[in-house]
Amino acid sequence: MNEIQYILGVGNSNSPLKIVLQNLSSCLVWQPFDERSVEFVKCFAQKLLTTKGIRQYPELVALGHWFRGANLKQLIKNYPAETENSLVLGRGLAFHIAPSNVDSVFMYSWLLSLLAGNTNIVRVSQKMSDAQTFLINILAETLNECVGKPIQERIVLLTYPHNTSITQEISEACLIRIVWGGNSTVQAIRSIPLRPTATEICFPDRFSICAIRADSMLKLNIEEQNRLAANFYKDAFWFAQQACSSPRLITWVGDEKTIQQAQEQFWNALNIEIATHPIENSEAMNMARINASFEYAGVALAKPTGNKGLEIEYPLKLQLECPLQETIKNIHCGNGLFLENRVHQLTDLAIQLSDKEQTLTTFGFTKDELKEFILNLPPRAVDRIVKIGDALSFAPIWDGQDLIVAFSRKILLS
């Protein structure tokens, strides 16, 4: 077990995992939004937002903003810890397996679990990014302050190479397991049994889409187009399209002529927006886009837009040649590759979707149109419909599951 590297919490480099798990499991569970957890989270969020250098990590700004005091007050109101006939408590030890492609996800997962009343052990990737290092430093500072003392014994942040025996030992001790990762990761972890009374939440690979009503796009003035492009940039480029909620397909809704005009204006505005940011386009990202493009072309699923053939550009746009299908989603690599298709009405998109779709970002549709779209969806397709610019905005209901409810249990009291 010496492969384990303890980063924060009750463990140290010489701690046997068995003892660490015993210490975490021996802690009493708290009721949701215990004052000690709320004060810690508020302090952490404030410290994060006021630390020098935070502006270079917009995703961490979003994290701090989401856990600010005002938002916590609303959560407390939405999730009462006690009713006349019931009492809500955390489940116990929660085991979080964080993804390697989105630095801040493990913090949303852990902080919500902490607020729900649980003790937590979090396994992060060994590929530590600058943003993750920045985040962990702020977390360590907060834990070392007075407000962090009650939390220190309720958290272990660690990393280790892929090791089934370590994951199994932690899984046997936990009462809820939260898995963020690709399908292969989820399947591998699910093969490791939990104790009979434990539960599990998995967040596997998903595919997200942006739908734009073409005639609404054309009604925008230049300033409004630029604002829309800036919001789309935030959705798609922050994590190089690796976030499950980042759009990989843009569906244009309307007639052919209107769509053509809207596409030209949209991409012109987006290229202007891209030019205002440092370009994140490595050789590996470039090759991934090209390889995916050849793969699409080889099976006649998508082709370059226009008449010029495949151009090595960033972002790279491809036009779908058939209805959306599973192979199309599986080939997509992110990294600035955008598929496009055209439909006459939004419900024409609904019937092409599956349980793989997570987020639909939209522009130009009425609430009634979106409701009609939802009523025409196949089972389990699409968990979120939000405006362009809100794809990465976190909510306690994620992938169709209320995380505060899932992280806690209700005890009937008569």
Side-chain angles (χ1 to χ4, degrees):
M1 298 298 179
N2 57 2
E3 292 180 307
I4 297 174
Q5 177 188 348
Y6 293 103
I7 302 171
L8 290 174
V10 299
N12 60 57
S13 59
N14 298 315
S15 297
L17 180 59
K18 181 179 180 180
I19 301 301
V20 171
L21 294 173
Q22 286 176 351
N23 290 340
L24 288 170
S25 298
S26 66
C27 293
L28 291 176
V29 293
W30 291 348
Q31 287 188 267
F33 301 101
D34 183 283
E35 183 180 357
R36 290 164 291 184
S37 63
V38 171
E39 289 305 310
F40 172 80
V41 173
K42 283 170 56 178
C43 180
F44 165 75
Q46 183 178 19
K47 185 179 288 290
L48 182 64
L49 290 172
T50 55
T51 297
K52 184 179 180 180
I54 182 64
R55 295 299 165 186
Q56 62 183 312
Y57 305 115
E59 69 275 20
L60 301 189
V61 174
L63 173 71
H65 184 72
W66 200 88
F67 282 105
R68 70 197 187 282
N71 202 33
L72 293 180
K73 285 182 181 178
Q74 187 60 50
L75 287 175
I76 293 170
K77 185 184 299 184
N78 293 343
Y79 297 94
E82 190 172 337
T83 67
E84 184 179 349
N85 299 313
S86 67
L87 199 67
V88 183
L89 292 172
R91 288 185 174 272
L93 177 57
F95 177 24
H96 307 258
I97 300 175
S100 60
N101 59 343
V102 181
D103 299 311
S104 55
V105 159
F106 83 92
M107 286 300 298
Y108 286 102
S109 181
W110 169 55
L111 291 178
L112 281 179
S113 180
L114 173 69
L115 289 168
N118 297 307
T119 54
N120 298 272
I121 185 165
V122 185
R123 188 257 181 192
V124 295
S125 170
Q126 292 187 296
K127 304 172 185 175
M128 295 284 280
S129 68
D130 291 342
Q132 197 166 14
T133 300
F134 184 92
L135 188 60
I136 289 172
N137 287 339
I138 302 302
L139 184 55
E141 290 178 16
T142 314
L143 284 169
N144 286 329
E145 294 187 2
C146 290
V147 74
K149 299 302 181 184
I151 309 301
Q152 287 180 357
E153 63 180 12
R154 305 180 69 83
I155 168 67
V156 168
L157 184 66
L158 52 72
T159 187
Y160 58 86
H162 295 294
N163 185 310
T164 301
S165 63
I166 297 176
T167 302
Q168 182 171 347
E169 185 172 354
I170 301 173
S171 295
E172 288 172 352
C174 75
L175 284 160
I176 180 169
R177 184 169 65 190
I178 305 96
V179 185
W180 302 80
N183 291 346
S184 59
T185 297
V186 169
Q187 289 169 353
I189 299 299
R190 273 185 166 169
S191 70
I192 300 173
L194 293 163
R195 59 201 297 170
T197 53
T199 187
E200 182 173 51
I201 307 173
C202 295
F203 300 97
D205 287 331
R206 304 299 296 274
F207 188 89
S208 293
I209 301 169
C210 175
I212 300 176
R213 185 167 181 153
D215 58 359
S216 297
M217 171 74 192
L218 293 180
K219 293 176 183 177
L220 300 180
N221 60 37
I222 297 297
E223 183 179 346
E224 291 168 334
Q225 287 183 13
N226 291 340
R227 191 178 307 123
L228 182 68
N231 285 335
F232 183 86
Y233 181 94
K234 182 170 64 173
D235 286 348
F237 289 85
W238 270 13
F239 297 109
Q241 284 179 295
Q242 300 305 307
C244 288
S245 54
S246 294
R248 297 185 169 200
L249 166 68
I250 302 175
T251 294
W252 295 92
V253 181
D255 62 74
E256 290 293 320
K257 182 178 179 181
T258 305
I259 288 175
Q260 184 65 37
Q261 293 175 327
Q263 282 179 304
E264 292 176 4
Q265 293 185 18
F266 174 81
W267 287 110
N268 285 339
L270 184 60
N271 286 330
I272 292 171
E273 175 65 25
I274 290 171
T276 67
H277 298 270
I279 294 179
E280 184 185 356
N281 182 29
S282 66
E283 290 184 11
M285 292 170 65
N286 198 33
M287 288 303 300
R289 289 195 303 274
I290 294 171
N291 289 339
S293 300
F294 282 129
E295 195 168 351
Y296 281 127
V299 287
L301 294 176
K303 63 181 181 180
T305 57
N307 301 314
K308 297 180 180 179
L310 181 63
E311 293 184 296
I312 302 176
E313 58 181 357
Y314 178 79
L316 180 59
K317 306 183 290 292
L318 299 177
Q319 181 71 37
L320 287 185
E321 296 191 87
C322 63
L324 188 62
Q325 55 186 261
E326 202 68 16
T327 305
I328 292 171
K329 305 168 197 176
N330 292 337
I331 292 175
H332 204 293
C333 63
N335 297 313
L337 174 63
F338 293 95
L339 303 174
E340 296 183 278
N341 66 352
R342 301 178 178 187
V343 296
H344 293 295
Q345 53 190 11
L346 193 58
T347 50
D348 295 336
L349 172 64
I351 60 176
Q352 301 180 44
L353 305 184
S354 71
D355 61 350
K356 180 117 175 164
E357 276 67 62
Q358 188 212 58
T359 298
L360 178 72
T361 50
T362 65
F363 174 77
F365 302 98
T366 66
K367 201 69 171 278
D368 286 340
E369 287 175 312
L370 295 177
K371 287 180 180 178
E372 184 182 6
F373 169 82
I374 292 171
L375 294 174
N376 281 276
L377 285 170
R380 192 59 180 85
V382 181
D383 292 315
R384 307 169 64 228
I385 300 177
V386 296
K387 296 178 180 178
I388 291 177
D390 290 334
L392 301 178
S393 297
F394 195 77
I397 298 176
W398 197 257
D399 275 15
Q401 301 190 71
D402 191 319
L403 297 183
I404 296 292
V405 172
F407 289 162
S408 58
R409 65 189 185 101
K410 183 176 288 189
I411 300 174
L412 294 180
L413 182 64
S414 60

